[in-house]
Amino acid sequence: MTARIDTAALIDNARTVAARVAPAQLMAVVKADAYGHSTDIVAPALYAAGLRDFAVATVPEAVALSQLLGPDSGARILCWLFDPAADLTVCTRAGIELGISTPEAFEAAIAAGRAIGRTQDVHLKLDTGLGRNGLSLSQLDTVLERLRTLATATGTTARATGTTRTSASAPVRVTGIMTHFANADIPGDPATVDQLHRFDTLYGRLQAELPHALRADDLMVTLANSPAALSLDPVPGSHVRAGISLYGISPFEDKTAAQLGLTPVMTLTSRVLNVKDVPAGHGASYGLTYRCERDTRFALVAGGYGDGLPRIAGNRGEVAIGGRRYPIVGRIAMDQMILDIGPAGDGGQVAIGDEVIIIGDGTTGPSAEEWADWCETINYEIVTCISARVDRIAVGADAASAPGDRARGGDR
């Protein structure tokens, strides 16, 4: 199996999102191997197009991205999911910014800054209603008190040494404030309005109480994910953390990618390995959950749940060969699946070696949304579950210009 990653479509999607969210700027989320699309392909393509702000979930992802783009890239990288026992000094050394969701994580960031002798930039993540990671009100109080203590200590040291201290000499500096919506994929949901009000209240408090010695002059404020970026007007914050939309996949149940002006970036392909005549009543795959009702032909296709194709799609899903859809029959196995391609002479011309479109754009082959319906899940899961043994290959011309001035994010 091969996943073709269309970098031209990727850049076009980035331009579309950047234009939609302006004057907010675009931060590209490339976590989970760029939602299954390969960070090694996606991040350099976006960087070459002028984008400089990136986000991932974990510390290993952030370090790998920093190494991929290079130490002098000027890229800004944010990550927010880590165990306080993790070695955060790798982030401090690389200039990676950390989302802070607990007082313990804040202490770990302070420790990393002190260990390296450099300032660790942090974003305070607020829980405004999602209930996952993020500072609760009492945890925020603890972090603010700790910041005031640090600011006092910094000022005392400055007076004692007779030097002028700046935020760069402190172990941490607050460079951003962030939160995450729970129901932005349901436009008009009152929970989103409630979260916006809660964030505005907390942000106003932070602006008043954050010690100036330990905060950036221009805080990055990020609330909107892809669904919020594509539905809210105006789009809140200075930046948006856009993920799934960049890959040409709709975050909404009632809107297609095409309706949003987006183009799917991934085309997942395979090959026909075998074609055989089978008599009426013949079974297909483990458990024999399918038996053909007439004399027909089976085509064997490489690809199974070991490649990330959910087993549940057996007897439900379809693939495309030569522009025609064929049903997946029987259970999807670890490495292969069976198609019922009909008897010879019924119009289907399928031969060993033919290309199979497993995931396309809905016209070239089944869309990620169709697979999600067959598998009783969401399109995000379909693409992110494509396994590492599937080759990712970049196709499409590199973009010659940035995805809008607002997508650049500025050199840092």
Side-chain angles (χ1 to χ4, degrees):
M1 288 177 61
T2 301
R4 296 198 295 261
I5 308 302
D6 187 340
T7 56
L10 172 73
I11 300 305
D12 189 59
N13 293 336
R15 290 195 185 103
T16 297
V17 176
R20 170 66 179 81
V21 304
Q25 297 182 32
L26 175 61
M27 171 175 269
V29 182
V30 294
K31 64 179 181 176
D33 200 25
Y35 290 60
H37 290 67
S38 175
T39 304
D40 288 352
I41 294 173
V42 167
L46 290 173
Y47 182 87
L51 197 138
R52 293 294 180 267
D53 293 336
F54 296 89
V56 293
T58 69
V59 169
E61 287 178 328
V63 172
L65 178 58
S66 177
Q67 293 171 345
L68 175 67
L69 296 178
D72 300 320
S73 67
R76 185 175 195 173
I77 299 172
L78 169 67
C79 71
W80 53 77
L81 193 63
F82 53 89
D83 187 319
D87 180 9
L88 299 182
T89 60
V90 294
C91 295
T92 309
R93 288 191 181 94
I96 294 166
E97 303 183 21
L98 298 171
I100 299 299
S101 292
T102 67
E104 291 79 9
F106 188 58
E107 292 299 327
I110 293 170
R114 284 174 171 163
I116 301 302
R118 293 176 55 182
T119 298
Q120 172 62 62
D121 286 342
V122 300
H123 296 232
L124 300 183
K125 187 171 186 179
L126 308 176
D127 182 2
T128 56
L130 180 60
R132 296 193 318 191
N133 231 353
L135 295 161
S136 67
L137 188 58
S138 62
Q139 289 174 322
L140 178 61
D141 288 338
T142 300
V143 170
L144 283 172
E145 180 58 34
R146 187 73 170 100
L147 277 163
R148 286 189 284 268
T149 301
L150 286 171
T152 299
T154 298
T156 300
T157 302
R159 289 191 296 272
T161 58
T163 60
T164 300
R165 303 282 291 188
T166 66
S167 60
S169 60
V172 293
R173 179 180 63 159
V174 177
T175 56
I177 310 296
M178 59 192 295
T179 194
H180 198 67
F181 290 116
N183 285 352
D185 57 335
I186 307 173
D189 191 283
T192 302
V193 177
D194 289 343
Q195 285 193 260
L196 280 167
H197 288 328
R198 193 171 303 178
F199 181 86
D200 287 344
T201 298
L202 292 174
Y203 182 50
R205 180 186 170 194
L206 286 169
Q207 286 181 306
E209 296 186 34
L210 276 177
H212 286 278
L214 297 177
R215 61 176 289 179
D217 293 333
D218 187 15
L219 289 173
M220 175 185 280
V221 180
T222 59
L223 298 84
N225 52 6
S226 283
L230 295 173
S231 65
L232 296 182
D233 188 15
V235 177
S238 66
H239 291 69
V240 301
R241 302 186 307 273
I244 198 70
S245 58
L246 299 183
Y247 308 107
I249 296 175
S250 173
F252 305 111
E253 288 189 1
D254 61 347
K255 290 183 180 179
T256 66
Q259 288 172 326
L260 296 170
L262 306 174
T263 302
V265 171
M266 177 190 291
T267 300
L268 186 65
T269 68
S270 186
R271 296 284 176 182
V272 175
L273 302 181
N274 197 359
V275 175
K276 65 176 72 175
D277 295 317
V278 294
H282 201 290
S285 195
Y286 294 121
L288 301 176
T289 59
Y290 176 87
R291 290 186 182 273
C292 52
E293 296 179 352
R294 59 177 178 168
D295 293 350
T296 189
R297 292 174 299 159
F298 283 171
L300 184 69
V301 175
Y305 60 79
D307 303 287
L309 302 177
R311 187 169 178 263
I312 193 176
N315 295 316
R316 299 182 178 192
E318 300 172 339
V319 298
I321 303 174
R324 179 173 175 176
R325 297 280 189 104
Y326 295 96
I328 302 168
V329 296
R331 291 176 179 162
I332 293 177
M334 184 180 294
D335 315 296
Q336 52 202 295
M337 69 183 81
I338 297 172
L339 313 178
D340 187 336
I341 59 174
D346 74 344
Q349 301 296 322
V350 177
I352 293 173
D354 282 354
E355 182 178 71
V356 181
I357 306 296
I358 296 176
I359 299 177
D361 62 8
T363 300
T364 58
S367 65
E369 286 76 18
E370 289 178 89
W371 273 90
D373 287 342
W374 298 329
C375 300
E376 301 175 16
T377 185
I378 58 174
N379 48 17
Y380 295 66
E381 184 176 359
I382 296 299
V383 291
T384 57
C385 283
I386 302 303
S387 76
R389 79 174 182 177
V390 176
D391 291 333
R392 272 75 165 174
I393 298 175
V395 298
D398 289 334
S401 60
D405 290 341
R406 292 294 176 181
R408 290 181 179 273
D411 291 338
R412 286 176 57 85

